[in-house]
Amino acid sequence: MPSQHPSHILRYVYGDPVSTGAVVCELPVTAGDPAAFSVRHDGTAVSFSLDVEPEDLMFGLGQSVRGMNKRGHIYRSWNTDDVMHVEEKESLYGSYNFLIITGPERTLALFLDDPGEITWDLCHTSLEQVVITSLNGDLNLYVMEDCTPAEACHDLRLLTGPSYLPPLWGFGYIQSRWGYASREDLEKVVRGHRDRGIPLDGVCMDIDYMDRYRNFTWNREKIPDLAALVRDMKKEHIHLVPIIDAGIPVDENDAACRSGLENDSFVRREDGTLFQAAVWPGLSYFTDYLNTRARAWFGSLYRPMLEAGIDGFWNDMNEPSLFYSPEGMARAYEIADEMRGKNLDLNGNWRLQSTFQSLANSRQDYASFYHDMDGRKVRHDKVHNLYGFGMTRASMEGMHAYDPDRRFLLFTRSSYIGGHRYGGMWMGDNRSWWSHLKLNLQMLPGLNMCGFLYCGADLGGFGSDVTGDLLLRWLELGIFTPLMRNHSSTGTREQEIYQFKNWEDMCNIITCRYLLLPYIYSEFMKAALDGGLYFRPLAFDYPDDRDACHVDDQLMLGGDCMIAPVYEPNAIGRSVYLPEDMLLVRLISIENLILEPMNKGYHFLPVALNEAILFVKRGHVIPLADGHFRCTDDLAQAQLSLLGWLGEKEQAGYELYTDDGRSYAAGKRRVLRSDRVDGSYILRRNPS
Ligand code: GLC
């Protein structure tokens, strides 16, 4: 990213904020309160309120439920492991405290660098008022005014640093499932794809590869030689991506536990004893990721797997997710004992049930341990939302300590602004619901605004049984998301595409992803390097077009395209709003692209089940890779075509970005030019 200074930001400080690591550029403190807000102090809490206009739109907040326009709900920054991503939820896995309010009269954006609990009442209590409350009252508040929404995002990136760069193979199709445990399981998945010509670049290894769910171990019976497995997979151009969770088992026979104790890297209670809570392996210790020394220790644990050839990981359970603490469980048993044998009425029954249901992720547990933030002792609940960020940072710093020049794949479930410098993120445990396909689309722009460009949801849905039509429609969105991973839970229907009768249609759609990769990769890298956005709501590009501003189910993609996936069951098509003339590209297979010029305005578009649709702005061209690819490695040899709709004698150029896809060595930007064309649209091979 060019070394510029954010030009629209003013910084205000409240209370005594901790240093979160989110910001990379120190700004002077402005005295007083920001003029746009009325500020109220209530005990320790500080609230910022603002009257808004009926036309004002609200964007940002990273991963959260509901539409792209966040107006009309109350959100809560409080990282939570919650599998029910439904409309009423206030919090999900991460906290992304950046909000843009934009309307005909003004644009205003704010970033609260505050890792504690925050409520965002966005015209929920009062239809025309926003009230943002920091419960701790210790924060750095950054306010951006006199700028466009895109400029506010650019300034945020200058303030918080550039987005993480994944390797090129991280843009390939990745197959995952909670359940692959052995070398044979993984080979079966690879064969399932390769034998049918389904492109594939990676396979994720979920907790089943581990020895008794212990991080940095693998089951030696099922995977006798990890290095040999990685080597054999690489011959097939497949990268294995193991999961790493936050908890370290309480067991001195476990190497990570022993060295963590020796290095004093785990969080402690007020009285200095080690905090414990259960996750997958049972009772676990939790690394103090907010401490530089502990982070370095955790990062060093990746080394043996890196030495075995692994070059990508996913980080999970890092809200942190706590199933129960021994103290919480003891209290629950006391209540259960008290109620044993009693005839329970409604209240008694509810009390018993909620006693056990509320064991997980309890506020009491989060308030019972401390971090050593490099000399400053802080109770966890005051900085709760930093934990996933800290883990991602520790992981990537560990990988870079091993090889500073290599771009590793890393995506996490929980994060915070600042975490976008160290890894991407996936959207957690969604379900095989049509509404979650739409939610996937709607979560993308908010994450991009917060710097998380490399992101995606579990395609097909994690929980519940997917159907062949839902998975196909989901892939028709997934071909555009930087992380394109099919992942599902144990106990659900097997979700590899070859398990479905219509797998050939799915395969064709996945091959279209590879066809689009020169464009997707260029646009992603340019957005990451220039502080731009890969996905944007239409309101960012067409602020003066009222209809465009209110579109909540289409996205601008890069500088030239728009997407409008079908997300409803049994749909024969969908309504689309075109803010300008565009070329509709129906992607059916690499041999079968149907091109239709379309005029600005509203359309009902028939879209067959086996078609993904993409719109290219008139007068623009995008590059496509010619050929059938097994994996991203094959792309290096690809011939390119240019696709676009140009008027007579009109010419267009496309700025292609290419690099080695593996290291941080600078890439090249070169402009591909279309020739003069006579037809209304072009598909030109081998542009100069
Ligand atoms: C969590 C993750 C999910 C994973 C499972 C088992 O639920 O979100 O992706 O499959 O844990 O590790």
Side-chain angles (χ1 to χ4, degrees), residues 178 206-207 243 280 314 316 413 426 429 462 487:
W178 180 358
D206 206 324
I207 50 173
I243 195 169
W280 305 121
W314 47 312
D316 192 21
R413 193 169 70 176
W426 97 99
D429 297 346
F462 173 75
H487 178 54

Side-chain angles (χ1 to χ4, degrees), residues 106-308:
R106 59 144 185 227
T107 293
L108 185 148
L110 71 172
F111 166 46
L112 274 70
D113 189 9
D114 173 358
E117 188 172 356
I118 300 170
T119 57
W120 305 79
D121 183 337
L122 306 185
C123 304
H124 174 83
T125 306
S126 156
L127 286 184
E128 286 177 9
Q129 195 183 40
V130 164
V131 184
I132 300 159
T133 306
S134 157
L135 273 72
N136 291 336
D138 295 313
L139 69 149
N140 277 285
L141 170 68
Y142 297 90
V143 179
M144 300 157 210
E145 282 187 275
D146 301 323
C147 56
T148 64
E151 284 167 347
C153 297
H154 184 258
D155 265 13
L156 180 73
R157 214 76 64 72
L158 291 175
L159 181 70
T160 59
S163 297
Y164 154 75
L165 301 180
L168 173 62
W169 66 265
F171 292 81
Y173 182 56
I174 300 178
Q175 178 58 47
S176 179
R177 180 167 172 85
W178 180 358
Y180 305 152
S182 60
R183 178 177 173 118
E184 288 68 39
D185 290 347
L186 297 163
E187 284 171 342
K188 199 169 138 203
V189 173
V190 174
R191 269 200 313 277
H193 288 80
R194 288 281 182 263
D195 290 353
R196 293 172 181 81
I198 307 165
L200 189 70
D201 269 86
V203 181
C204 287
M205 297 160 73
D206 206 324
I207 50 173
D208 318 81
Y209 81 86
M210 297 179 190
D211 171 20
R212 292 165 293 154
Y213 310 123
R214 290 156 178 242
N215 282 330
F216 307 107
T217 68
W218 55 95
N219 183 323
R220 305 278 168 157
E221 272 167 36
K222 296 188 171 145
I223 303 177
D225 185 343
L226 181 66
L229 172 62
V230 175
R231 224 176 18 248
D232 293 346
M233 287 286 172
K234 290 240 167 108
K235 284 186 204 142
E236 288 283 347
H237 302 269
I238 297 292
H239 299 256
L240 293 178
V241 186
I243 195 169
I244 297 292
D245 291 321
I248 300 284
V250 174
D251 179 357
E252 292 196 25
N253 294 317
D254 179 81
C257 173
R258 253 193 338 270
S259 79
L261 291 172
E262 279 159 19
N263 284 281
D264 190 15
S265 291
F266 301 131
V267 293
R268 293 179 180 273
R269 298 178 171 281
E270 167 100 269
D271 64 5
T273 56
L274 289 161
F275 172 79
Q276 303 181 12
V279 211
W280 305 121
L283 286 178
S284 303
Y285 294 132
F286 293 84
T287 303
D288 191 350
Y289 295 118
L290 277 49
N291 177 279
T292 306
R293 186 183 36 75
R295 261 200 320 274
W297 165 78
F298 189 84
S300 72
L301 300 178
Y302 284 80
R303 185 167 277 264
M305 295 180 91
L306 294 167
E307 281 166 352

Side-chain angles (χ1 to χ4, degrees), residues 13-35:
V13 178
Y14 293 87
D16 181 17
V18 296
S19 165
T20 61
V23 163
V24 295
C25 154
E26 179 92 7
L27 298 185
V29 179
T30 309
D33 293 322

